[in-house]
Amino acid sequence: MNKRINLFQNFAENSKLMIEMDKNILKSGIPPLYIELIKIRASQINGCAYCIDKHIVDALKMGEDQRKINVLGAWHEAKDWFTEEETIVIRLTEEVTLITQNGISNEVFEKGVKLFGEEKFSNLIMAAISINSWNRVGVGLHLHPTK
């Protein structure tokens, strides 16, 4: 693989803004494990090995069940493993990540606002947007996890 640019060096100020956005999302009162579910699921869909590895490690450190992470990619078949809130978080993540298919469905939007309120639901949307941006950095620059 040819050497790629150092986006963080060449785009330093905007990279800092992306990091600040992530910090603000963490301060929003959303359970940190929900944010990790968002990061893992979007990264699975986008094929970002670096982010999948990083966020699974982070989720496990926070106490997430390894088996729950194992089935996240097939959550449709393991619905009883996830709470109603987690299911909405996962569905929202998929709909934001695959935005060109149908956008955010009315069902997810309405349930999300009901469960989380408008402000927290907005932050969940931003969390999904943020990890999708980071995934594009990871995949576009061929960042890979190290053992």
Side-chain angles (χ1 to χ4, degrees):
M1 177 63 54
N2 293 337
K3 184 178 178 187
R4 298 284 173 122
I5 62 170
N6 183 333
L7 186 69
F8 302 106
Q9 181 181 352
N10 295 320
F11 202 61
E13 285 303 311
N14 289 316
S15 296
K16 289 177 189 174
L17 291 172
M18 289 175 65
I19 292 167
E20 280 301 311
M21 182 172 67
D22 286 344
K23 288 179 183 177
N24 287 332
I25 291 166
L26 283 172
K27 293 182 211 173
S28 70
I30 297 166
L33 282 172
Y34 288 6
I35 294 175
E36 292 307 318
L37 287 177
I38 291 169
K39 291 176 179 182
I40 296 165
R41 186 66 191 120
S43 299
Q44 289 172 333
I45 294 167
N46 290 322
C48 185
Y50 178 85
C51 291
I52 293 168
D53 179 62
K54 179 190 183 325
H55 296 296
I56 287 175
V57 168
D58 291 348
L60 291 172
K61 285 181 186 173
M62 291 179 189
E64 186 60 90
D65 180 2
Q66 177 70 59
R67 293 184 69 219
K68 201 174 200 178
I69 292 171
N70 293 347
V71 300
L72 181 56
W75 70 271
H76 296 91
E77 295 294 320
K79 287 184 181 178
D80 61 331
W81 292 49
F82 299 93
T83 67
E84 182 180 21
E85 284 187 351
E86 290 169 334
T87 300
I88 289 299
V89 166
I90 297 164
R91 288 182 61 196
L92 173 67
T93 301
E94 290 183 354
E95 291 180 3
V96 169
T97 303
L98 303 168
I99 198 75
T100 61
Q101 289 184 359
N102 296 307
I104 299 172
S105 67
N106 289 335
E107 179 185 1
V108 167
F109 183 84
E110 290 166 10
K111 282 186 180 179
V113 170
K114 181 180 175 186
L115 289 170
F116 294 101
E118 285 186 18
E119 186 176 341
K120 283 186 182 173
F121 190 67
S122 296
N123 278 291
L124 288 167
I125 293 168
M126 291 307 297
I129 290 169
S130 177
I131 190 59
N132 274 282
S133 296
W134 287 115
N135 287 165
R136 276 138 184 84
V137 171
V139 174
L141 297 179
H142 299 293
L143 299 179
H144 304 285
T146 57
K147 289 186 179 187

